[in-house]
């Protein structure tokens, strides 16, 4: 019988190669057991491992879904996903996430900052793009939580769920991020500024990070610099 790590890897590959979008439901446990040649008990350990890393979430009686657990109504997210254009997502990110970084610099606890550092390091250690994107998502969510503002957090989670539901079509020429991937130093600059309580610096660092990201994905959507 394969170990949990090996089974988690095979389960992750199965999900990744199936082309699911964020919050799509994956096959039931019985079918997964048959496809992976494993027992229900071993499968559940692998599912728990993937859930701990934000790759899936489970709801008793409803099934297992791709991505991190949402706090919002899935029907609302599906509706927004089908109505919103990628350019609109970019515009909202540029308006809200620098301000979240500024607020986080004023309100983040030591624990919040440590969590951000862990997420940034996990991004650098990621062996594939799916893992990188999961930890990148965790980092941005940790920044939003650190604002200590539930309304801002709700706005961010709505935005983030819609963003992750959209197929961006970004070309990937490598299995995962290269060692000098620009987002690594950008993440470190954001986290460092937040940890030092430098709100304006954190906001500027987040703005630069978003410009860097969307220069590769959707350059025409980037707003003009102030």
């Amino acid at each position: 019988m394969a170990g949990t790590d090996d089974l988690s890897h095979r389960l992750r590959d199965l999900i990744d190669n199936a082309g699911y979008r964020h919050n799509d439901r994956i096959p039931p446990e019985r079918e997964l057991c048959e496809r992976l040649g494993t027992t229900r008990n071993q499968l559940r350990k692998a599912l728990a491992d993937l859930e701990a890393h934000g790759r899936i979430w489970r709801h008793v009686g409803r099934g297992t879904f791709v991505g991190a657990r949402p706090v919002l109504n899935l029907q609302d997210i599906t509706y927004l996903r089908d109505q919103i254009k990628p350019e609109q997502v970019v515009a909202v990110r540029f308006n809200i996430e620098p301000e979240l970084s500024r607020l986080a610099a004023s309100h983040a606890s030591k624990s919040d900052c440590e969590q951000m550092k862990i997420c940034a390091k996990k991004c650098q250690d990621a062996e594939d793009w799916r893992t990188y994107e999961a930890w990148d998502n965790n980092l941005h969510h940790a920044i939003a939580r650190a604002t200590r503002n539930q309304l801002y957090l709700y706005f961010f989670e709505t935005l983030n769920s819609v963003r992750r539901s959209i197929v961006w079509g970004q070309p990937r020429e490598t299995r995962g991020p290269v060692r000098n991937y620009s987002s690594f130093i950008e993440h470190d600059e954001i986290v460092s500024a937040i940890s030092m309580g430098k709100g304006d610096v954190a906001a500027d660092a987040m703005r630069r990070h978003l410009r860097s990201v969307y220069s590769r994905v959707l350059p025409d959507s980037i707003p003009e610099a102030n």
Side-chain angles (χ1 to χ4, degrees):
M1 183 67 64
T4 300
D5 288 345
D6 177 66
L7 185 58
S8 296
H9 184 77
R10 291 196 293 129
L11 177 59
R12 185 184 64 190
D13 286 346
L14 185 154
I15 293 171
D16 289 351
N17 293 333
Y20 294 111
R21 293 198 289 180
H22 190 59
N23 287 327
D24 280 350
R25 184 166 54 190
I26 67 174
E29 290 183 359
R30 182 175 62 181
E31 181 178 336
L32 290 174
C33 285
E34 293 175 354
R35 294 174 66 174
L36 294 168
T38 189
T39 65
R40 185 72 62 91
N41 186 50
Q42 289 295 320
L43 176 68
R44 286 177 175 172
K45 290 180 181 179
L47 289 169
D49 180 57
L50 264 61
E51 186 170 24
H53 286 83
R55 304 295 293 270
I56 61 168
W57 62 280
R58 292 178 286 177
H59 189 291
V60 177
R62 294 179 59 189
T64 302
F65 301 84
V66 175
R69 180 182 298 274
V71 297
L72 308 165
N73 187 310
L74 286 181
Q75 291 181 337
D76 292 344
I77 296 303
T78 301
Y79 171 78
L80 287 170
R81 179 193 70 194
D82 294 339
Q83 298 294 318
I84 297 297
K85 297 178 180 179
E87 294 86 353
Q88 294 172 311
V89 172
V90 176
V92 176
R93 289 196 78 184
F94 268 92
N95 275 279
I96 191 174
E97 293 205 47
E99 184 61 22
L100 293 178
S101 299
R102 188 194 312 277
L103 288 171
S106 296
H107 300 287
S109 66
K110 182 177 180 181
S111 176
D112 291 328
C113 294
E114 286 302 316
Q115 185 60 39
M116 293 176 207
K117 291 175 183 177
I118 290 171
C119 292
K121 182 63 167 59
K122 290 288 188 180
C123 285
Q124 296 178 24
D125 294 340
E127 296 181 354
D128 55 67
W129 285 110
R130 288 277 185 166
T131 301
Y132 168 82
E133 288 164 0
W135 283 108
D136 175 77
N137 177 69
N138 289 341
L139 172 59
H140 285 262
H141 197 275
I143 293 170
R145 288 198 308 272
T147 65
R148 295 293 186 272
N149 186 313
Q150 288 301 116
L151 189 55
Y152 262 124
L153 181 58
Y154 178 85
F155 290 152
F156 170 80
E157 288 174 334
T158 303
L159 166 65
N160 200 41
S161 293
V162 173
R163 176 181 69 83
R164 299 189 73 198
S165 296
I166 291 175
V167 177
W168 292 89
Q170 181 176 1
R172 300 296 198 188
E173 298 178 354
T174 59
R175 182 170 181 267
V178 295
R179 288 291 106 190
N180 62 346
Y181 188 51
S182 60
S183 287
F184 295 160
I185 191 170
E186 292 161 8
H187 286 164
D188 288 343
E189 289 172 348
I190 296 166
V191 174
S192 176
I194 291 173
S195 299
M196 291 187 291
K198 296 181 177 180
D200 289 343
V201 176
D204 287 342
M206 177 61 78
R207 200 172 288 110
R208 288 195 303 273
H209 173 52
L210 294 175
R211 286 186 177 279
S212 175
V213 169
Y214 289 110
S215 68
R216 298 187 292 267
V217 183
L218 210 62
D220 291 342
S221 70
I222 298 175
E224 295 183 5
N226 294 330

